[in-house]
């Protein structure tokens, strides 16, 4: 509860201060009471029109107040979002979508009737919030399951996929918007996954979040201070062990954290768009490297660069590659562009146009991580692609006869389509022997070389 002293402490304006000092305690209580009434009346008009639940602002106010008033009570925030609400609207019509939202609000209200101190909100669109006291995590799971059951009882000719993210309050002063962020973060880890209904915000997510924040904060400095390095992993011909090329792989040597792996930071940069700058930095280094060797008459092999799918919708990316090729006088045949399946897949004319032009210019296009996405075999015939890079997942359990069958037939089919093939992640002699038996000769993997600094790669050449 707010007392007179702390209330006064918070008041900046001198005039209010003076007014308060002149009040008796009784007057002060009346003053606070009327303020609260005003806020509550205001709140009544802060309800979302369709579902009659509080909007975000009212929800924040109410929850913060409850936590302060009941510091001994354990509270948690649950955020509910539908993975496929847009499709429900499109497939069943807006009226049905609206009815589903009302049903969700009713399911939440049922929970409120069962216990005190529950606050509900319809944040926006298809996102709801519930703030509730609890004793154990199982209580929260039970709440989520009951709401989920009520929603699945709503009969529509479409699978409804609600997901719940849960964050428990660490202290009565924990920021409500941070709780909401955490619950949303937990929710996003399972959204759209049929097998998971709910997720708690936990330690793993917290350290992931801190790492992501660090990456966002430090990446610009890392670019300027040359903390990003190009490593090259050689590609070999397995029958001769000769180096036939290399793949440029980024390494971030952070001054405090040491090595940060690409799998940690690339996804963050893809989300905030900074991958564009980072990729261009790496590409520039690669063109510079090849150009330098060509100028000095030294032997050169084609080097692959990774192209994040963020680029492919942007015309600037193809202009940038062509420019680099001209600036550093590197014939495009020395550079292979690796794009993951999903980069090729997108039914997008800009992407298709970009890749076609780059290929006509002379770059080799390679489909990376083949077999991990959702590509169908038939799409291969329509894509501007020269090389298929078979993912290491294909060769992981090479001793299994079924894996052998899948791999040998895939390779045979790619041969028939006249695609170049390279297999990545070759680690054992058994894998090598099987691939050679399938007449597949090109590989990249720890059996031969690990990614290494540029200088080391140069000395190998
Ligand atoms: P990727 O393009 O599939 O690269 C191959 C990854 O497999 C590399 O991991 C490499 O070190 C690893 N690898 C190679 N041989 C073996 C093996 O025999 N066994 C095992 N277990 N792993 C092997 P790395 O360097 O950690 O890179 C991870 C991913 O990060 C890359 O996967 C690529 O998608 C991305 N990446 C790396 N550098 C860049 C870059 O400059 N730009 C962009 N956009 N993405 C990059
Ligand atoms: Ca790659
Ligand atoms: Ca790959």
């Amino acid at each position: 509860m707010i007392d007179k002293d702390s209330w006064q402490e918070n008041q900046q304006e001198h005039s209010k201060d003076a007014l308060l000092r002149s009040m008796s305690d009784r007057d002060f209580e009346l003053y606070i009471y009327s303020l609260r009434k005003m806020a509550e009346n205001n709140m009544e008009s802060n309800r979302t029109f369709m579902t009659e639940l509080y909007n975000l602002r009212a929800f924040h106010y109410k929850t913060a107040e409850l936590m302060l008033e009941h510091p001994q009570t354990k509270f948690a925030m649950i955020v509910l979002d539908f993975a496929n609400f847009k499709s429900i609207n499109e497939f069943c019509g807006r009226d049905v979508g609206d009815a589903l939202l009302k049903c969700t609000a009713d399911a939440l209200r049922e929970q409120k009737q069962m216990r005190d101190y529950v606050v509900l909100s319809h944040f926006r669109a298809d996102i709801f919030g519930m703030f509730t006291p609890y004793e154990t995590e199982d209580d929260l799971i039970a709440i989520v399951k009951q709401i989920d059951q009520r929603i699945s009882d709503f009969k529509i000719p479409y699978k409804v996929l609600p997901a719940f993210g849960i964050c428990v309050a660490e202290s009565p002063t924990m920021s409500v918007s941070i709780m909401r962020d955490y619950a949303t973060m937990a929710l996003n880890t399972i959204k759209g996954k049929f097998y998971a209904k709910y997720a708690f915000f936990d330690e793993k997510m917290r350290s992931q979040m801190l790492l992501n924040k660090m990456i966002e904060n430090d990446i610009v400095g890392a670019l300027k201070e040359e903390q990003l390095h190009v490593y090259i992993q050689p590609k070999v011909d397995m029958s001769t062990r000769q180096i036939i090329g290399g793949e440029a792989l980024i390494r971030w040597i952070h001054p405090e954290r040491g090595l940060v792996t690409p799998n940690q930071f690339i996804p963050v940069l893809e989300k905030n768009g900074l991958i564009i700058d980072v990729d261009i930095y790496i590409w520039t280094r690669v063109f510079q490297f090849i150009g330098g060797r060509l100028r000095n008459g030294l032997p050169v092999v084609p080097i692959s660069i990774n192209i994040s799918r963020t680029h492919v919708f942007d015309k600037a990316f193809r202009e940038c590659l062509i420019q680099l090729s001209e600036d550093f006088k590197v014939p495009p045949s020395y550079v292979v562009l690796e794009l993951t399946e999903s980069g090729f897949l997108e039914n997008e004319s800009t992407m298709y146009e970009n890749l076609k032009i780059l290929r006509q210019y002379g770059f080799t296009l390679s489909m990376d991580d083949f077999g991990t996405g959702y590509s169908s075999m038939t799409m291969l015939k329509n894509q501007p692609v020269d090389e298929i890079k078979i993912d290491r997942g294909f060769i992981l359990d090479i001793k299994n006869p079924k894996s052998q069958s899948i791999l040998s037939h895939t390779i045979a089919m790619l041969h028939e389509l006249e695609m170049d093939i390279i297999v990545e992640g070759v680690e054992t002699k058994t894998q090598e022997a099987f691939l050679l038996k399938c007449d597949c000769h090109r590989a990249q993997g720890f059996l031969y070389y690990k990614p290494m600094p540029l200088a080391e790669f140069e000395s190998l050449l």
Side-chain angles (χ1 to χ4, degrees), residues 247 306 338 340 367-370 389-392 424:
E247 174 177 12
N306 286 288
E338 288 193 9
T340 54
M367 188 183 285
D368 202 355
D369 302 344
F370 178 78
K389 207 165 180 190
I390 297 182
D391 190 74
R392 66 187 275 267
E424 56 181 351

Side-chain angles (χ1 to χ4, degrees), residues 359-375:
R359 193 161 175 239
Q360 274 162 2
Y361 185 77
F363 287 107
T364 306
L365 296 193
S366 174
M367 188 183 285
D368 202 355
D369 302 344
F370 178 78
T372 58
Y374 303 94
S375 64

Side-chain angles (χ1 to χ4, degrees), residues 346-444:
E346 216 66 39
N347 208 353
E348 243 273 349
S349 50
T350 327
M351 180 272 320
Y352 190 78
E353 197 58 22
N354 275 337
L355 298 187
K356 220 174 71 186
I357 289 175
L358 286 166
R359 193 161 175 239
Q360 274 162 2
Y361 185 77
F363 287 107
T364 306
L365 296 193
S366 174
M367 188 183 285
D368 202 355
D369 302 344
F370 178 78
T372 58
Y374 303 94
S375 64
S376 68
M377 297 297 176
T378 49
M379 68 161 262
L380 283 178
K381 68 179 196 292
N382 302 324
Q383 298 294 344
V385 58
D386 305 287
E387 178 190 82
I388 299 291
K389 207 165 180 190
I390 297 182
D391 190 74
R392 66 187 275 267
F394 269 89
I395 55 168
L396 273 181
D397 62 342
I398 199 70
K399 288 186 179 137
N400 177 336
K402 282 185 182 162
S403 303
Q404 292 184 1
S405 173
I406 293 172
L407 184 59
S408 63
H409 285 92
T410 305
I411 292 174
M413 179 201 66
L414 293 172
H415 275 148
E416 224 162 276
L417 292 172
E418 297 178 339
M419 302 271 184
D420 288 335
I421 306 171
I422 180 157
V423 179
E424 56 181 351
V426 176
E427 291 179 348
T428 66
K429 288 270 184 198
T430 320
Q431 293 169 332
E432 179 187 72
F434 186 80
L435 289 166
L436 284 172
K437 211 175 84 191
C438 298
D439 201 22
C440 172
H441 294 259
R442 299 162 73 234
Q444 183 181 337

Side-chain angles (χ1 to χ4, degrees), residues 233 247-251 261-263 266 270 275 279 282 306-308 338 340 368-369 389 391-392 424-427 444-447 449 451:
Q233 183 177 30
E247 174 177 12
L249 295 161
I250 191 169
R251 292 291 177 267
T261 68
N263 288 332
I266 301 261
E270 283 182 334
I275 187 67
D279 268 356
I282 298 293
N306 286 288
I307 315 278
S308 157
E338 288 193 9
T340 54
D368 202 355
D369 302 344
K389 207 165 180 190
D391 190 74
R392 66 187 275 267
E424 56 181 351
V426 176
E427 291 179 348
Q444 183 181 337
F446 295 168
L447 180 60
Y449 300 100

Side-chain angles (χ1 to χ4, degrees), residues 283-301:
W283 303 345
T284 309
R285 289 290 137 104
V286 170
F287 277 93
Q288 202 174 24
F289 169 72
I290 303 175
R293 286 187 66 88
L294 285 173
R295 230 184 8 259
N296 293 323
L298 296 165
V300 170
V301 289

